[in-house]
Every structure is written in structure tokens, then in C-alpha cells.
Amino acid sequence: MTCAGRAWLLLAALAVAALPVARAAKVYRWVDRQGVVHYGDSAPAANAVVGGSSRVKVIPVQAEPGAMVALRLEHDGDDYLAYADNRLAGPVQVRLSFTRSRNVVGDPLLPARATVDPRGSTLVARIGSADPANGGDFELRLDAVPGDPSARPRDFEYAYPLQGGDVQVAQGFGGGWSHQDEQNHYAVDFAAPIGTPVFAARDGTVMQVESDFDKAGLNLEKYGGRANYVRIVHDDGTMALYAHLREGGVLVRVGQRVEKGQQIGLSGNTGFTSGPHLHFAVQVNRDMRLVSIPFRMFGPRGILRFTDVSAGH
């Protein structure tokens, strides 16, 4: 008998590390030259609107982020093929496991892990009946972490990511406010007024962005894992995170190749934050664990030295 399969996807988003993919959060309304009212998720060309671009109405829409990956099940005879579809412009690692199973088995045995190429699909496991003479059913869970676990970070001197001559560190390595977990331990918060230009600290490819979040506060449950940000994957598999950008402050698109020193956004005060700043971290995937790593950075007046304030504690 064929197994009755049900699948659901768990998205884990902790602090500002495993951030999900954003969906559009603005709707545009305009009237064309024939008097027809249009709605769309992007602004129309000015010459398509009666009265020009000034007559386009922007309607804010509250939109929750979508998942980094999608779990897709396909029939193959009496079995199911479980695929992971990566929606990011960078690699992700996934782990597929049963949350409930009756008379079914995975090949390979679950939990099973796989690395999925940028915007690619990977067959993670085949789900079949353990005893074809009896029925069965199951539920699946798919966890995802950005990055390739085989990444080998190279020593690199990062450029200071903000415009301005004075470097103000609001929180450094191991800071007690929000830099205690693995994903953010080696992050640095640079104090900066809202709207300060943000630049790529290293060449790479834009992997993830969110730009439509407009809230901030100290409620971790409400704002943790939500912020406007840019995640850039580098050629050695490391990923730089630029977070707490202002609403509409992302100036690059997913999949775009950027160069060191290129402007990618505008700083802000969104998400779990006590004030305007840029949260910068270099992260790697360590077998389904997103981990921040120490980095060297050259500032406007020379090498910046970040002390791990938790060292020895």
C-alpha cells in the first residue's frame, strides 16, 4: 500500500543569523493612460502612469518572511522522493527527519543531511514502506542552515563597512547584550546614524536580503530574527552579515556580485536593537550550526582591534 505522506517545514531563525527570505511588503497602485487601475509588487514605468510617477500610490503590507528552503515530495511508484529546494543565491545545508512515522523508512536513514547549491534542488531521501503488506504514514521536518559546511575560511583583511572617519564600537566580540551565542559571538556593532552608507567589506555574491521591516525594540521574542539585512557569501564559503539596515535600506539584489567597497545599503535601527547601529559578523556553517568567526578589519586609521570581552569568563 502507498504511504500517506504529510510534510511540514520548520524554519529556525535565531538572533540575526539564520534569517529567512523576505517577501515583498509593498503594493503599488496606479492608473494607466486608458484609465485602468493596476496593482503590482513593483513600481511601474513613469510613462505608463497618468500624471507620472508622482501619482503612484504605495500601500504598505505587513508580510512575514518566507523559508530559506522548501520541502517537496514527489511520488515514485509506492515511494516518496523528498527534495530540498534552495531559494537562496548561496548554498544551504539541510537536515531531514521524521517527526512521526509508522511502517516507513528513509533511504538514507533519517535524519539525513545534504548540501544544496544556490537556487538548486537536491534529493535528500527516498521514503518507502518498511513492510509493503501494511499501510503507513509519516510527517517530516526539514531544518536549514545557510552556508556550505565544507567551507574553509581564508585569512582576510576586511574593509571597514561604514562611511566616516571615526569608528564607534557599541558592542564587540562576546558582548553581554546580544553577542553571547555562537552565531553572534564574534560580531561587532558599529554605532552609526540612520542612513549612513554601508559598504561591502569583501567581494562576494548577495545571498539573502530583507529590506521591508520597519519595527525595532527590545522584545527578543517579537523582534529576534527580524531585521533588514544583507548576507553576502564569499569565495571561500564564509558569509558576511550586515544587519539592522533601515526600511528600504538595501541597495543590492539577491544574486548580485558585489565588490569590496561597493555600497550595499543604508544603516538603520530595525529588529532587536536598542539604537541605530550596523551589526557586522562573519559566519560559517559548521554542520548545521551557524557560527561566527573572528575577523581582521582595516579601518580609516589602520587596523581595528576587537577584544573578546568574554575571554577568561
Side-chain angles (χ1 to χ4, degrees):
M1 298 177 61
T2 300
C3 296
R6 290 184 293 169
W8 59 281
L9 173 68
L10 176 71
L11 172 66
L14 303 176
V16 288
L19 289 162
V21 178
R23 294 201 295 261
K26 290 187 179 70
V27 172
Y28 297 84
R29 180 188 184 278
W30 69 94
V31 179
D32 67 19
R33 297 186 180 279
Q34 284 71 46
V36 178
V37 177
H38 295 266
Y39 293 87
D41 60 4
S42 59
N47 60 8
V49 182
V50 174
S53 57
S54 63
R55 300 300 299 273
V56 177
K57 183 178 181 180
V58 180
I59 305 171
V61 177
Q62 292 299 322
E64 292 300 316
M68 291 185 290
V69 295
L71 174 60
R72 175 167 50 91
L73 293 181
E74 292 187 359
H75 281 286
D76 184 30
D78 288 341
D79 295 344
Y80 284 90
L81 302 180
Y83 290 90
D85 297 333
N86 181 7
R87 295 171 173 171
L88 305 186
V92 298
Q93 185 185 21
V94 298
R95 179 178 59 224
L96 183 69
S97 55
F98 286 121
T99 58
R100 184 177 64 81
S101 63
R102 181 175 63 88
N103 192 35
V104 293
V105 65
D107 180 18
L109 295 175
L110 302 192
R113 303 186 184 195
T115 301
V116 190
D117 290 335
R119 289 175 170 161
S121 297
T122 295
L123 175 63
V124 184
R126 174 185 290 269
I127 312 297
S129 180
D131 179 4
N134 295 293
D137 55 75
F138 61 94
E139 291 179 352
L140 294 170
R141 164 176 171 157
L142 185 68
D143 294 287
V145 172
D148 186 335
S150 66
R152 295 293 177 264
R154 297 193 300 268
D155 185 34
F156 187 84
E157 188 175 89
Y158 288 81
Y160 180 57
L162 289 171
Q163 185 179 75
D166 294 327
V167 177
Q168 298 183 45
V169 176
Q171 186 179 197
F173 293 172
W177 173 250
S178 60
H179 292 177
Q180 293 295 300
D181 61 297
E182 284 188 317
Q183 301 173 31
N184 299 287
H185 185 95
Y186 290 107
V188 175
D189 290 344
F190 295 105
I194 294 174
T196 302
V198 177
F199 303 97
R202 181 178 179 178
D203 296 355
T205 299
V206 178
M207 179 176 179
Q208 278 179 289
V209 302
E210 181 170 349
S211 63
D212 294 313
F213 196 60
D214 62 354
K215 295 178 175 57
L218 300 179
N219 186 326
L220 181 59
E221 182 177 353
K222 187 175 182 180
Y223 298 118
R226 291 300 306 273
N228 296 325
Y229 68 93
V230 174
R231 180 185 295 279
I232 294 176
V233 60
H234 310 128
D235 292 341
D236 62 356
T238 59
M239 299 167 288
L241 182 68
Y242 306 76
H244 303 299
L245 305 180
R246 81 176 192 187
E247 182 187 10
V250 172
L251 304 181
V252 290
R253 66 184 184 279
V254 172
Q256 179 179 344
R257 184 72 182 177
V258 296
E259 297 181 354
K260 180 178 178 180
Q262 179 178 339
Q263 187 174 358
I264 60 173
L266 298 168
S267 68
N269 184 39
T270 57
F272 181 61
T273 171
S274 60
H277 71 280
L278 175 70
H279 176 99
F280 178 84
V282 179
Q283 298 171 329
V284 291
N285 180 347
R286 287 292 174 254
D287 198 17
M288 293 299 296
R289 290 168 38 242
L290 196 59
V291 176
S292 58
I293 60 175
F295 59 87
R296 295 187 301 112
M297 178 173 283
F298 193 83
R301 300 178 183 176
I303 294 293
L304 302 179
R305 303 188 184 280
F306 307 115
T307 302
D308 186 348
V309 298
S310 69
H313 291 193

